[in-house]
Amino acid sequence: MNKHDLLKKHFGYDSFRPLQEQIINDVLAHKDLMVVMPTGGGKSMCFQLPSLMLEGVTLVISPLIALMKDQVDSLRANGITAGYFNSSQVGTEQQEMLQLLKEHQLKLLYVAPESIQLLLHHLKPTDVSLIAIDEAHCISTWGHDFRPAYTQLAYLKKSFPQAGLIALTATADRATRADIKMQLAISHAQEYVASFDRPNLTLEVRPGNDRLAQVRRFLKKYKDESGIIYCLSRKSCEKLAEKLSSLGFSVAAYHAGLEHRFRESVQEQFIKDEIKIVCATIAFGMGIDKSNVRFVIHYNMPKNIEGYYQEIGRAGRDGIDAHALLFHSYADMIQLRNFAGDSGNSDVQIAKLERMKQFAEALTCRRRMLLSYFNEYLEKDCGNCDVCLNKPDFFNATLIAQKALSAVYRMKENASLNLLIDVLRGAQNATVLESGFQSIKTYGAGREISWNNWQQYIIQMINQGLLEIAFHEYNHLKLTPQAQAVLFENQSVELAVIPKPEELAARQKKAADESLPSTINKDLYAGLRKLRMQIATQENLAPYMVFSDATLKDIASRIPLTIDEFEDITGVGKHKLDSYGETFLNLTAGYNMMRDGDFTYRIVVAKPKKKKKSNGPKKDTVMESVELYWEGKTIEEISEMRTLKTDTILTHLGKRYVSHKDVNLDAHISSDDLKEIEPLYKSYQQENALKPIFEHFNGKYSYGKLRLAMYLIEATTTE
Ligand code: ADP
Ligand code: MG
């Protein structure tokens, strides 16, 4: 089989991503290589695919013991024989792996760097055809994540001289690359540096006011999707996770201060979609190959652009839209500056932080700026960052600027941003009164502008170089030479119009509505996700290992009805076609019937692969209705066939839902209905009667609907 056939057969993809094919050709020719690709760029393919075409085993060195099992599970789900070897395994498990290795039954073996010595005794030089060193920056003390165990890897080239060695990392820096090659004794290795552009990531920066409320609104748009929220400190991770959890989100905190076992379980549950959101410090994320992370939020400002880019790269690995949101606050800047000031190479760190700040404040295309940091230059604006998407309108703000600058001048450049705003707005708080600034001429000169708008205007003025923050002088604002020109030579100033909150909300709503393109049948997509979850639970896999979001979206827009059509879907290889094809086709067939017929009941049928044992009699009346429903019959049709009332059928479905959760009732009762009914249900619960509720709503809801609501409310309150 050639490499294109293997790509389709095992991974379900039709084409290679940029550079993958050239790299694979070189790997197959046993060349040593240094590969730099952004996070999510598709590095693993560069050694996984050739491993299938080479004689012996491919060793993959990876620093992340906790994630090896996932990586191996993913490969196995694609029908590839893979194993791992690390210190988390008990002796018998290790023996088992060694046995498989001896019998030449493994194409890939993942090994922790600490365990490599142990393994060497069991390998003849000719057994190994390829060595892949993932996260290779860990070998260099110049990289940002040095691991001492990686320095043992220099022996690999000596032990297996005939095997090709491929080092892979997302760290772009040239000096680090040279160091990696030297340490691995592959100085001659050709370098491949892929583009760092990840066009599917929407980049957005917002001012950090009222962050919690902003995050809440944002999360509404990404209901039921996976995401990471990076926070600066351990405490803020925990606090944010607690708040979001009390608001009903599925969320956990993760940081290095938590007990090891707890952390592993959070990671595992996140990978399996059992926890949707993780509030984490930067300790979280390296090596998590979860492809369906839909958003990354930086609740606080990152220290530098390298870190920021790696973190946002964890979103949207499947290549479909994902959102990177950064909150920008001056308080964070000040804190980070203090951290940087305390460290050894503070100059470098402060300079890097400064670049980060410039990125956050940019009024031009953010992606161009970001990529220029990695020495990559886009020809055009990207069209997928907040600046490109909402080019601000500017207005003549000379008078506003003069008021602010004159206040700074009269306060003798001895006030911070907050105090300046208070003085402009004529506030009477203790800080103002103690400062004595209530007597200056500009005190209260800017009452007509809200506090938040002042803040944004002044930040813009800082960005334009009219004001400077003196970090070493209590963050006081200072005038620049340009400010003098505005104050004394009447030079004009333009500032961007600040959108009104309702405009922002409308824009966000619009974005939310557009988050699934119109080609995707939304209720089918929802049904597919449920089915994926069922299968993942049955097989103890992470949902994305069953199928990625990209695959489900492709199904939901093309609605395949035959095996041939299904095979054509992106991400469907031979192995997965055999394992899941039929189950998914059942669902699309059911959906297709609905579409052709009754539009009011666009029910998604999620028929479980293996029928669960039912406790009751072999075929009870509930199951009869449920099975007809699964077959795609409408409530009316079932009612007619069984000569039962439609309300009774609804009750059957409700019962089944409560016990097994495998019928989709969204088409029959909405969450708004439930919200309306719930308080009444509670107040009449004692009487156990529906009549008063029925009467209360004047017949708006049928008895069947109310009974259904009752089941659902009970199910959710007892969960
Ligand atoms: P990283 O470079 O961060 O290690 P991965 O190897 O984890 O990235 O790949 C990221 C995602 O891209 C995975 O979900 C993988 O299946 C997918 N991918 C890799 N190659 C291709 C391809 N040629 N076509 C489509 N998707 C691909
Ligand atoms: Mg990787």
Side-chain angles (χ1 to χ4, degrees):
M1 258 193 168
N2 69 29
K3 50 183 187 292
H4 283 102
D5 295 338
L6 287 167
L7 181 68
K8 183 68 194 161
K9 177 175 176 227
H10 287 286
F11 302 94
Y13 300 135
D14 292 323
S15 57
F16 287 105
R17 291 214 181 132
L19 294 188
Q20 278 179 336
E21 192 168 5
Q22 291 99 300
I23 293 170
I24 288 169
N25 286 341
D26 277 2
V27 169
L28 291 172
H30 301 281
K31 290 188 187 157
D32 298 326
L33 301 176
M34 166 90 238
V35 170
V36 185
M37 266 188 201
T39 309
K43 289 185 281 296
S44 327
M45 190 66 77
C46 301
F47 54 83
Q48 288 174 348
L49 190 118
S51 79
L52 302 170
M53 302 175 75
L54 292 165
E55 270 301 305
V57 68
T58 291
L59 294 182
V60 184
I61 316 295
S62 158
L64 302 146
I65 293 179
L67 294 165
M68 274 182 195
K69 189 176 166 307
D70 285 315
Q71 289 165 338
V72 167
D73 283 348
S74 264
L75 286 163
R76 289 185 180 159
N78 281 327
I80 296 169
T81 52
Y84 61 97
F85 187 86
N86 65 42
S87 56
S88 78
Q89 290 166 305
V90 295
T92 51
E93 284 175 310
Q94 288 196 340
Q95 289 306 321
E96 232 170 80
M97 278 304 155
L98 292 174
Q99 190 58 31
L100 287 174
L101 197 59
K102 223 167 105 187
E103 292 164 6
H104 303 290
Q105 295 214 30
L106 293 176
K107 285 278 81 178
L108 287 134
L109 181 64
Y110 281 70
V111 192
E114 297 79 10
S115 310
I116 192 81
Q117 293 293 345
L118 202 62
L119 196 67
L120 287 183
H121 312 296
H122 301 274
L123 285 166
K124 291 198 298 291
T126 48
D127 289 343
V128 178
S129 54
L130 172 63
I131 301 167
I133 303 198
D134 207 3
E135 316 287 354
H137 57 277
C138 293
I139 199 174
S140 172
T141 46
W142 298 352
H144 52 80
D145 209 0
F146 173 64
R147 306 275 168 120
Y150 258 67
T151 49
Q152 302 183 11
L153 303 181
Y155 300 110
L156 282 173
K157 196 67 207 168
K158 290 199 190 93
S159 309
F160 304 100
Q162 81 300 343
L165 195 148
I166 174 171
L168 309 107
T169 174
T171 299
D173 184 281
R174 191 165 295 158
T176 312
R177 261 182 267 161
D179 192 35
I180 294 170
K181 291 204 291 188
M182 196 196 66
Q183 298 220 42
L184 290 172
I186 52 163
S187 294
H188 54 278
Q190 184 177 343
E191 290 189 8
Y192 281 101
V193 181
S195 163
F196 266 58
D197 196 5
R198 296 276 315 278
N200 62 318
L201 296 182
T202 302
L203 307 175
E204 184 181 1
V205 182
R206 294 189 198 167
N209 319 347
D210 230 350
R211 266 172 262 197
L212 183 62
Q214 293 201 55
V215 167
R216 260 175 87 173
R217 249 175 279 138
F218 181 90
L219 293 180
K220 266 202 193 137
K221 173 175 162 188
Y222 287 97
K223 203 168 155 286
D224 295 332
E225 306 273 16
S226 297
I228 307 171
I229 307 181
Y230 283 108
C231 304
L232 198 55
S233 70
R234 296 173 179 188
K235 219 171 93 193
S236 57
C237 290
E238 287 180 11
K239 263 170 58 187
L240 182 61
E242 238 166 67
K243 278 189 199 140
L244 292 176
S245 166
S246 72
L247 290 168
F249 292 100
S250 155
V251 55
Y254 182 108
H255 58 71
L258 293 168
E259 205 206 327
H260 183 69
R261 250 194 306 169
F262 177 81
R263 264 189 292 157
E264 276 199 354
S265 118
V266 169
Q267 187 166 290
E268 163 122 19
Q269 292 181 70
F270 179 66
I271 289 173
K272 291 196 166 168
D273 286 0
E274 291 162 7
I275 290 175
K276 303 290 187 204
I277 305 165
V278 176
C279 299
T281 58
I282 54 171
F284 182 76
M286 181 165 67
I288 291 189
D289 290 346
K290 182 175 165 64
S291 73
N292 62 338
V293 176
R294 292 270 69 87
F295 61 88
V296 167
I297 299 177
H298 281 87
Y299 203 73
N300 300 100
M301 190 90 152
K303 282 206 264 299
N304 54 46
I305 288 186
E306 287 98 330
Y308 169 71
Y309 205 59
Q310 264 206 340
E311 283 141 26
I312 66 171
R314 290 168 189 146
R317 279 168 186 262
D318 46 18
I320 50 180
D321 293 350
H323 200 136
L325 172 63
L326 163 71
F327 285 111
H328 170 31
S329 97
Y330 281 87
D332 288 352
M333 278 299 298
I334 289 162
Q335 198 178 355
L336 286 167
R337 241 192 127 84
N338 290 339
F339 288 160
D342 296 341
S343 73
N345 55 350
S346 63
D347 286 354
V348 178
Q349 293 208 24
I350 287 173
K352 287 192 169 188
L353 181 60
E354 199 57 35
R355 284 292 289 270
M356 191 62 226
K357 175 168 152 269
Q358 286 161 8
F359 168 77
E361 291 168 345
L363 290 172
T364 54
C365 174
R366 291 201 204 274
R367 196 174 315 265
R368 287 182 94 160
M369 181 157 180
L370 203 52
L371 290 175
S372 75
Y373 186 86
F374 299 107
N375 302 314
E376 214 181 307
Y377 302 96
L378 288 184
E379 303 256 296
K380 284 194 305 213
D381 285 355
C382 76
N384 193 20
C385 69
D386 53 345
V387 180
C388 287
L389 291 170
N390 310 300
K391 287 236 181 334
D393 292 329
F394 286 87
F395 69 107
N396 185 330
T398 312
L399 195 64
I400 291 176
Q402 282 172 339
K403 280 182 189 173
L405 296 176
S406 142
V408 172
Y409 178 75
R410 286 170 204 276
M411 293 189 287
K412 305 212 162 46
E413 305 183 314
N414 275 330
S416 64
L417 188 132
N418 288 359
L419 183 55
L420 168 63
I421 299 174
D422 281 345
V423 168
L424 282 165
R425 291 189 32 83
Q428 306 212 345
N429 59 35
T431 327
V432 174
L433 298 180
E434 272 163 31
S435 70
F437 291 144
Q438 72 273 35
S439 59
I440 67 169
K441 204 176 146 206
T442 26
Y443 177 75
R447 276 204 179 84
E448 72 288 0
I449 295 173
S450 73
W451 208 96
N452 282 345
N453 283 5
W454 263 125
Q455 187 188 32
Q456 301 223 22
Y457 289 143
I458 295 169
I459 290 171
Q460 288 187 39
M461 290 167 64
I462 296 169
N463 298 343
Q464 291 190 17
L466 293 170
L467 285 169
E468 249 170 25
I469 301 180
F471 288 103
H472 299 306
E473 285 177 51
Y474 312 103
N475 309 311
H476 288 169
L477 294 171
K478 307 283 173 189
L479 298 170
T480 64
Q482 214 188 315
Q484 313 281 345
V486 174
L487 271 179
F488 305 114
E489 292 153 34
N490 219 13
Q491 185 184 303
S492 73
V493 174
E494 303 245 296
L495 293 177
V497 177
I498 299 162
K500 295 197 180 68
E502 58 271 22
E503 280 169 25
L504 263 185
R507 231 183 269 166
Q508 277 164 10
K509 177 157 182 322
K510 192 160 160 265
D513 292 344
E514 283 165 0
S515 69
L516 271 182
S518 58
T519 54
I520 290 177
N521 299 292
K522 290 182 190 165
D523 36 4
L524 175 57
Y525 183 61
L528 290 166
R529 287 171 52 114
K530 284 191 189 150
L531 179 57
R532 172 174 71 176
M533 192 61 170
Q534 273 176 21
I535 295 175
T537 314
Q538 267 167 29
E539 306 199 348
N540 196 22
L541 286 174
Y544 77 88
M545 293 176 190
V546 176
F547 280 133
S548 72
D549 284 3
T551 300
L552 296 193
K553 287 190 175 169
D554 203 22
I555 298 175
S557 66
R558 288 161 62 183
I559 319 182
L561 295 173
T562 64
I563 288 280
D564 282 351
E565 284 171 9
F566 198 76
E567 196 173 6
D568 219 33
I569 298 287
T570 184
V572 178
K574 178 83 181 72
H575 194 74
K576 287 188 179 168
L577 182 71
D578 293 345
S579 329
Y580 313 127
E582 211 187 312
T583 318
F584 277 84
L585 283 171
N586 269 339
L587 196 153
T588 51
Y591 178 78
N592 193 50
M593 258 162 56
M594 290 303 125
R595 282 205 321 160
D596 291 345
D598 188 345
F599 273 91
T600 49
Y601 286 119
R602 299 220 317 182
I603 305 153
V604 175
V605 187
K607 191 168 182 174
K609 196 176 171 190
K610 289 176 206 138
K611 251 176 248 153
K612 290 186 186 129
K613 266 187 268 154
S614 81
N615 305 325
K618 244 197 160 202
K619 203 167 206 177
D620 56 16
T621 177
V622 170
M623 273 321 284
E624 244 180 278
S625 302
V626 169
E627 283 188 352
L628 287 168
Y629 188 70
W630 277 342
E631 279 168 31
K633 302 278 185 292
T634 64
I635 305 291
E636 280 76 12
E637 285 168 352
I638 302 172
S639 142
E640 210 165 285
M641 289 164 82
R642 301 204 57 204
T643 56
L644 292 170
K645 280 195 192 157
T646 47
D647 284 353
T648 314
I649 310 296
L650 273 176
T651 314
H652 289 166
L653 301 183
K655 276 197 175 144
R656 176 71 191 184
Y657 178 83
V658 170
S659 61
H660 288 73
K661 299 266 183 327
D662 54 5
V663 286
N664 185 323
L665 298 169
D666 296 351
H668 305 295
I669 193 140
S670 70
S671 54
D672 284 343
D673 295 342
L674 282 175
K675 254 187 233 142
E676 195 171 41
I677 297 169
E678 183 164 18
L680 276 132
Y681 168 67
K682 290 217 162 114
S683 53
Y684 288 112
Q685 203 166 14
Q686 299 300 350
E687 280 128 284
N688 202 10
L690 288 178
K691 195 155 180 271
I693 307 178
F694 180 82
E695 280 166 2
H696 175 92
F697 287 116
N698 272 330
K700 178 177 173 195
Y701 298 111
S702 70
Y703 274 105
K705 219 170 200 181
L706 289 176
R707 211 166 285 131
L708 182 59
M710 188 181 88
Y711 277 116
L712 299 183
I713 291 165
E714 233 158 47
T716 45
T717 43
T718 49
E719 246 166 19

